[in-house]
Amino acid sequence: MPGMFFPEISPVHRKKSLHTFLINHYLCAGFCFERSMDMDSDEKKIVKKSLIITAIVVVAILIGGAVYYILHQRQRMSDMEELFALEKASLTDEYEELSMQYEGYKFNVSNDSLVALLTTEQMRVQRLMEELRTVKTTNARRIGELKKELESLRKIMRGYVAQIDSLSTENQKLKTENQQVVRQYRQASSVAAQLTKEKEKLTERVSLASRLDATAIQITPLTSKGKLSKKIDKTAQLMVQFSIARNITAPVGEKALYVRILKPDDDILLKPNSGMFAFENREIAYSMMKTVEYGGEEMQVTMYWNVEEYLSPGAYRVDIFADGNMIGRKTFSLEK
């Protein structure tokens, strides 16, 4: 009736009430039928109509209740399917996000073993995500299992994140230590280079200090009688005299002294038996050679060149060598 309040009855209670109603009406119908045996014809007709109406009402109520129950169940199933579809979509997004997290960590990790583990877990996530995309929304049991799998995968991810953080901290520590080692190495290398330069300078100084020095160089043209020659055509010998200066740092012992006499055209005076000696990483010819015993004190040296070739007038030069070094040079002139 309008204005009256009817509390909502659940399908189960509604079904029980319907059964009770039918039983009561059937009992009532039976009772009426028994009484109808004693009634006259008109009363029987009335009773019969009442029974028919009652049966129709009962059938209508049954049909209405069944229709309502079916529609209610369909609506409920539709709501459940929509809810499962939303949960499936949300779960798929979470799987995709987890897969992207694995991909990001792989690019930030340099440890090959850990990268391999991350790749394996990412493949597992992708496999389960593909399964989730193909599973039906009505398969609530499997969707629930995949949801539990996601939680398990997240726990594994947290473990890997802890490892990555630990490795990152350790790598940073090693990087700092490596930078310190590099700085120390550079400092040590700089000191070593400085010491090497100083050693080279010292070696050079020692080498220079130990080098022999030819001083007081004189070249005298002589005649065949050993007298001073004033004319170039009368010159039979060239006497070369010089002193080896005192040097206590120079190695003592035998010293090979080489003399080169260069003509005005820079051509060297040579004999058929003249040899070669080493100077500045090459072999050069000498005019005269003499071996002396040097003891570190000043000593006089005299060498003679026998003139057997034509000498042209002009400026001549004498270069003196010992121990691979040029130790003296002197120019002189020969006139007509």
Side-chain angles (χ1 to χ4, degrees):
M1 295 180 62
M4 293 184 68
F5 173 75
F6 292 95
E8 184 178 357
I9 303 174
S10 66
V12 177
H13 287 87
R14 186 181 292 109
K15 191 173 181 181
K16 289 182 178 179
S17 300
L18 188 61
H19 287 168
T20 304
F21 174 79
L22 291 174
I23 291 170
N24 291 334
H25 275 75
Y26 276 122
L27 292 174
C28 179
F31 176 75
C32 292
F33 179 76
E34 290 179 356
R35 290 189 61 189
S36 66
M37 296 298 293
D38 300 328
M39 295 180 182
D40 57 14
S41 171
D42 292 335
E43 290 177 345
K44 287 181 180 181
K45 290 181 179 180
I46 295 172
V47 171
K48 185 176 182 181
K49 286 182 179 180
S50 299
L51 292 174
I52 292 171
I53 292 171
T54 301
I56 292 171
V57 170
V58 169
V59 171
I61 291 172
L62 287 173
I63 293 173
V67 170
Y68 176 81
Y69 179 76
I70 292 171
L71 292 177
H72 179 76
Q73 288 298 107
R74 285 183 179 179
Q75 182 63 40
R76 184 179 177 186
M77 290 297 295
S78 177
D79 293 342
M80 292 295 291
E81 287 183 6
E82 184 177 354
L83 180 63
F84 288 148
L86 291 174
E87 186 176 4
K88 177 182 175 181
S90 176
L91 197 58
T92 302
D93 291 341
E94 292 181 28
Y95 267 103
E96 288 181 352
E97 181 182 357
L98 187 61
S99 179
M100 293 300 296
Q101 288 177 356
Y102 273 111
E103 187 69 21
Y105 281 121
K106 279 164 56 180
F107 284 105
N108 294 327
V109 175
S110 57
N111 186 291
D112 293 339
S113 299
L114 188 54
V115 170
L117 291 174
L118 290 172
T119 302
T120 301
E121 289 301 320
Q122 184 185 20
M123 292 175 63
R124 181 184 175 192
V125 170
Q126 292 174 346
R127 178 175 56 79
L128 292 174
M129 182 170 60
E130 289 301 320
E131 181 183 352
L132 178 62
R133 285 172 177 168
T134 58
V135 74
K136 293 182 179 180
T137 54
T138 55
N139 193 346
R141 182 181 63 81
R142 185 54 185 157
I143 292 176
E145 290 174 352
L146 291 173
K147 190 172 183 180
K148 291 180 179 179
E149 286 280 358
L150 180 63
E151 291 300 322
S152 176
L153 290 171
R154 281 177 173 164
K155 289 180 181 179
I156 295 173
M157 166 64 83
R158 285 193 287 270
Y160 285 139
V161 169
Q163 281 186 265
I164 292 170
D165 290 341
S166 177
L167 287 173
S168 178
T169 303
E170 188 67 24
N171 286 339
Q172 186 61 39
K173 181 181 178 181
L174 291 174
K175 185 177 180 180
T176 303
E177 292 177 355
N178 184 53
Q179 290 174 347
Q180 293 176 351
V181 170
V182 169
R183 282 196 299 269
Q184 292 173 356
Y185 172 76
R186 288 177 178 173
Q187 292 174 355
S189 297
S190 177
V191 172
Q194 185 64 30
L195 291 174
T196 300
K197 288 181 180 179
E198 292 178 0
K199 182 180 178 181
E200 289 175 352
K201 289 180 180 179
L202 181 60
T203 302
E204 184 179 356
R205 289 175 184 173
V206 171
S207 178
L208 290 173
S210 62
R211 183 180 298 178
L212 298 180
D213 186 22
T215 61
I217 303 171
Q218 293 182 353
I219 298 90
T220 305
L222 300 175
T223 64
S224 58
K225 295 181 180 181
K227 294 183 179 180
L228 178 62
S229 175
K230 295 182 180 181
K231 293 182 179 181
I232 193 170
D233 58 351
K234 298 294 183 180
T235 300
Q237 284 185 322
L238 294 175
M239 181 175 63
V240 179
Q241 294 175 302
F242 57 89
S243 296
I244 302 296
R246 181 176 182 272
N247 191 338
I248 59 174
T249 62
V252 298
E254 284 191 352
K255 300 290 182 182
L257 305 177
Y258 301 94
V259 174
R260 283 164 55 94
I261 304 173
L262 285 80
K263 295 186 293 185
D265 59 0
D266 285 337
D267 193 13
I268 185 171
L269 294 178
L270 296 172
K271 297 294 183 184
N273 60 348
S274 294
M276 309 284 284
F277 71 99
F279 177 68
E280 294 182 350
N281 299 321
R282 60 193 179 98
E283 296 289 323
I284 60 175
Y286 59 83
S287 303
M288 298 183 291
M289 190 273 286
K290 185 174 184 178
T291 302
V292 299
E293 187 71 27
Y294 182 70
E297 299 295 332
E298 183 178 1
M299 66 179 298
Q300 300 295 322
V301 179
T302 301
M303 303 173 70
Y304 294 92
W305 174 261
N306 294 321
V307 178
E308 298 172 347
E309 59 280 301
Y310 170 75
L311 297 179
S312 60
Y316 287 74
R317 190 179 81 233
V318 169
D319 293 337
I320 305 171
F321 299 84
D323 297 332
N325 301 306
M326 188 172 69
I327 63 173
R329 169 174 286 181
K330 180 72 174 183
T331 59
F332 66 98
S333 297
L334 293 177
E335 302 297 338
K336 287 185 178 181

